[in-house]
């Protein structure tokens, strides 16, 4: 089967570092993406890992380990505006190449 | 910037009505997608299209149909709306068939009474 698992909620304080995990069960996929969605807003693309390792974009970093079937999004120097839902997504091999499967999302609450 | 627009932000329909949700993108993207988003279930793919007049079923196509007569426009049709189709509907587009980045519209919150 193909599934992506994320924690439903994470809480952290301003200025802290938080890690949002994404574990998956699949026979193979092309890469792992992360999206951010503020309450009432549209999901927006944050990052993509095509290869194992760490990708850094400003305060946000994303990591992928295919051997461990695991990835994460790391948010540093948290700000109140980072309060949002975060979704991981993959394109699985063997299916339509343009189809993304999304995780169920993690609601991040940043407290003062 | 890519812009994806959806015809309505909020919509209220009665059970049994035929409902049309429209999506337009302005960046000549090949692929367009319709998702529904429900609490605790994330985004689930209903249908997608990789070219004009081409469509493929997603994970939850039952009760829905789609139309793509022009490259920039992708319509979702609920032939006979039911209360279990009350949801947030999100349209998205991506440039190429193998693109990993999708651009989303603001969503239509549909309530079926």
């Amino acid at each position: 089967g193909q599934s992506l698992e994320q924690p439903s909620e994470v809480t952290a304080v301003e200025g802290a570092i938080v890690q949002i995990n994404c574990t998956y069960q699949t026979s193979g996929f092309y890469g792992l993406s992360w999206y951010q969605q503020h309450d009432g807003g549209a999901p927006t693309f944050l990052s993509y890992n095509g290869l194992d390792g760490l990708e850094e974009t400003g305060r946000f970093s994303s990591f992928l380990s295919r051997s461990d079937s695991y990835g994460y999004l790391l948010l540093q120097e948290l700000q109140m505006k980072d309060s949002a839902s975060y979704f991981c997504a993959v394109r699985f091999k063997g299916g339509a190449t343009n189809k993304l499967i999304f995780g169920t999302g993690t609601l991040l609450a940043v407290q003062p | 910037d890519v812009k994806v627009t959806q015809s309505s932000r909020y919509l209220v329909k009665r059970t049994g009505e035929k409902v049309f949700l429209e999506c337009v993108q302005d960046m000549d993207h090949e692929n367009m997608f319709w998702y529904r988003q429900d609490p605790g279930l994330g985004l689930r793919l209903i249908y997608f299209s990789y070219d004009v007049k081409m469509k493929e079923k997603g994970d939850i196509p039952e009760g829905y149909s789609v139309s793509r007569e022009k490259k920039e426009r992708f319509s979702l049709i609920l032939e006979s709306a039911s209360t279990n189709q009350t949801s947030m509907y999100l349209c998205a587009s991506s440039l190429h068939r193998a693109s990993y980045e999708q651009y989303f519209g603001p969503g239509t919150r549909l309530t079926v009474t």
Side-chain angles (χ1 to χ4, degrees), chain A residues 30-82:
Chain A
Y30 292 105
L32 180 70
S33 301
W34 286 93
Y35 286 78
Q36 179 192 59
Q37 184 181 29
H38 286 100
D39 190 27
T44 55
F45 173 80
L46 285 178
S47 67
Y48 175 73
N49 291 74
L51 301 172
D52 283 7
L54 191 68
E55 295 283 342
E56 297 181 69
T57 309
R59 295 187 297 114
F60 294 2
S61 304
S62 56
F63 174 82
L64 176 63
S65 170
R66 293 174 190 270
S67 59
D68 295 325
S69 298
Y70 166 69
Y72 65 72
L73 179 69
L74 190 73
L75 296 83
Q76 303 182 72
E77 300 173 19
L78 279 174
Q79 302 176 9
M80 297 298 291
K81 67 179 182 179
D82 297 329

Side-chain angles (χ1 to χ4, degrees), chain B residues 8-70:
Chain B
S8 304
R9 193 77 173 95
Y10 298 95
L11 207 54
V12 180
K13 294 292 182 180
R14 293 187 180 274
T15 300
E17 279 193 84
K18 192 169 186 176
V19 182
F20 293 87
L21 302 182
E22 295 209 326
C23 175
V24 177
Q25 49 93 3
D26 67 355
M27 283 299 291
D28 203 35
H29 282 180
E30 292 180 358
N31 302 314
M32 297 188 75
F33 308 83
W34 276 106
Y35 295 89
R36 65 176 282 176
Q37 184 174 26
D38 301 288
L41 297 178
L43 282 74
R44 294 181 292 164
L45 182 64
I46 303 171
Y47 267 98
F48 64 101
S49 168
Y50 53 89
D51 202 350
V52 175
K53 296 191 185 296
M54 305 303 291
K55 61 185 179 183
E56 288 196 34
K57 293 180 180 179
D59 299 315
I60 52 165
E62 297 77 18
Y64 303 94
S65 62
V66 290
S67 172
R68 193 165 180 203
E69 297 295 319
K70 294 184 178 182

